């Protein structure tokens, strides 16, 4: 089956600074892939290339088999790709329900968005009238995920899912990620700390200085990770 996301020989950066130097990465359909690596390795840049925010200067990006180099982020969203940026980007001065309503769009009613969000995240239902800015970090991540899922994505890209969260909350969120994959949503998740992500990931890749230094199943990258001291938070 065609992978949902594929990067082949991707080179990209900012102005004259090259950050990614010929990256190959394949995300199979319905899989969870952990993209690991130290600070500044280029993980966020890779997500930006995949989501059309940064253009590859060489190589190819395919979404669902279609060549998408240079496609605008909104076109990629229509192709089924959705990104949750680092920091989660919920609207802090709006309630949970209002945040969800803004995620509804032509063809998908607010009622449907609420129903699916509250079904997957009962905690959000309990806090529907609460300002998003007053939610815990984990609840904000749930809200960001619920907003992303409102668009029915085929592939979800999540940057630093566990940033600033307690280990128990992180495990809970990864349970959700595993559930998404079981429902057929492919997930590429960037993490600086590997353990929680690898507990549910089918695939993993380690990026160092803009190059993939190891890729495969979680066991295939263990040695490389140990070398990098990327253990638990
Ligand atoms: P972190 O875990 O710290 O977020 P990362 O692996 O996600 O790191 P990137 O954010 O992709 O790494 O950054 C890779 C390199 O690109 C860094 O050296 C960074 O300073 C540089 N960089 C990132 N964004 C820009 C930008 N907008 N303009 C210029 N350089 C940038």
């Amino acid at each position: 089956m065609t992978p949902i996301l594929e990067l082949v020989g991707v080179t990209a950066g900012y102005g004259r600074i090259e950050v990614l130097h010929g990256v190959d990465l394949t995300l199979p359909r319905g899989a969870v892939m952990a993209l690991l690596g130290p600070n500044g390795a280029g993980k966020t840049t890779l997500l930006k290339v995949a989501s059309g925010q940064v253009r590859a200067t060489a190589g190819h990006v395919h979404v669902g088999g279609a060549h998408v180099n240079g496609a605008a982020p909104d076109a990629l969203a229509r192709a089924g790709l959705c990104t949750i940026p680092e920091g989660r980007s919920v609207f802090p001065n709006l309630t949970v329900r209002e945040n969800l309503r803004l995620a509804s769009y032509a063809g998908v009613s607010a009622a449907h968005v609420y129903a699916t969000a509250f079904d997957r995240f009962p905690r959000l239902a309990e806090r529907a009238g609460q300002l998003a800015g007053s939610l815990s970090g984990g609840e904000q991540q749930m809200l960001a995920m619920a907003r992303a899922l409102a668009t029915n994505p085929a592939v979800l890209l999540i940057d630093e899912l566990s940033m600033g969260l307690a280990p128990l909350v992180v495990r809970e969120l990864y349970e959700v990620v595993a559930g998404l994959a079981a429902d057929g949503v492919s997930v590429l998740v960037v993490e600086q700390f590997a353990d929680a992500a690898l507990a549910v990931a089918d695939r993993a890749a380690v990026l160092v200085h803009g190059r993939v230094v190891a890729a495969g199943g979680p066991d295939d990258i263990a040695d490389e990770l140990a070398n990098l001291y990327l253990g638990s938070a």
Side-chain angles (χ1 to χ4, degrees):
M1 209 174 2
T2 335
I4 189 67
L5 176 68
E6 193 175 26
L7 276 66
V8 183
V10 163
T11 295
Y14 305 93
R16 271 194 252 160
I17 305 166
E18 193 179 286
V19 173
L20 301 177
H21 315 289
V23 166
D24 295 329
L25 186 123
T26 302
L27 176 64
R29 285 176 197 267
V32 176
M33 176 180 254
L35 178 60
L36 309 168
N39 252 316
K43 305 181 297 295
T44 299
T45 303
L46 192 155
L47 287 198
K48 286 184 172 168
V49 170
S51 60
Q53 298 169 69
V54 167
R55 191 168 182 165
T57 46
H60 302 284
V61 183
H62 298 100
V63 174
H67 187 260
V68 298
N69 285 37
D74 59 329
L76 286 168
R78 282 194 297 278
L81 188 137
C82 187
T83 309
I84 301 178
E86 192 177 326
R88 291 142 204 162
S89 72
V90 299
F91 297 102
N93 297 321
L94 299 181
T95 66
V96 167
R97 194 185 299 277
E98 287 163 344
N99 266 275
L100 291 170
R101 189 170 65 226
L102 286 180
S104 65
Y105 60 101
V108 178
S109 68
H112 178 75
V113 174
Y114 301 150
T116 48
F118 296 157
D119 184 46
R120 201 175 290 274
F121 302 101
R123 194 109 54 93
L124 293 182
E126 293 163 20
R127 290 163 173 74
Q130 193 173 321
L131 291 183
S134 69
L135 297 173
S136 72
E139 290 160 357
Q140 288 191 22
Q141 186 64 278
M142 288 175 197
L143 180 55
M145 288 168 83
R147 283 170 48 85
L149 293 172
T151 63
N152 262 330
V155 54
L156 194 56
L157 312 178
I158 310 178
D159 201 355
E160 301 276 358
L161 181 142
S162 69
M163 175 75 91
L165 303 179
L168 202 64
V169 178
V170 173
R171 273 202 293 277
E172 194 183 334
L173 288 168
Y174 272 108
E175 294 295 319
V176 174
V177 166
L180 292 177
D183 290 346
V185 182
S186 316
V187 183
L188 177 61
V189 60
V190 162
E191 278 293 355
Q192 219 175 103
F193 301 105
D195 290 355
L198 290 178
V200 302
D202 310 290
R203 318 277 305 161
V206 181
L207 196 66
V208 179
H209 296 314
R211 297 177 205 279
V212 174
V213 296
D219 291 342
D220 300 324
I221 56 129
D223 289 349
E224 207 64 49
L225 265 193
N227 291 339
L228 289 165
Y229 305 106
L230 286 171
S232 47

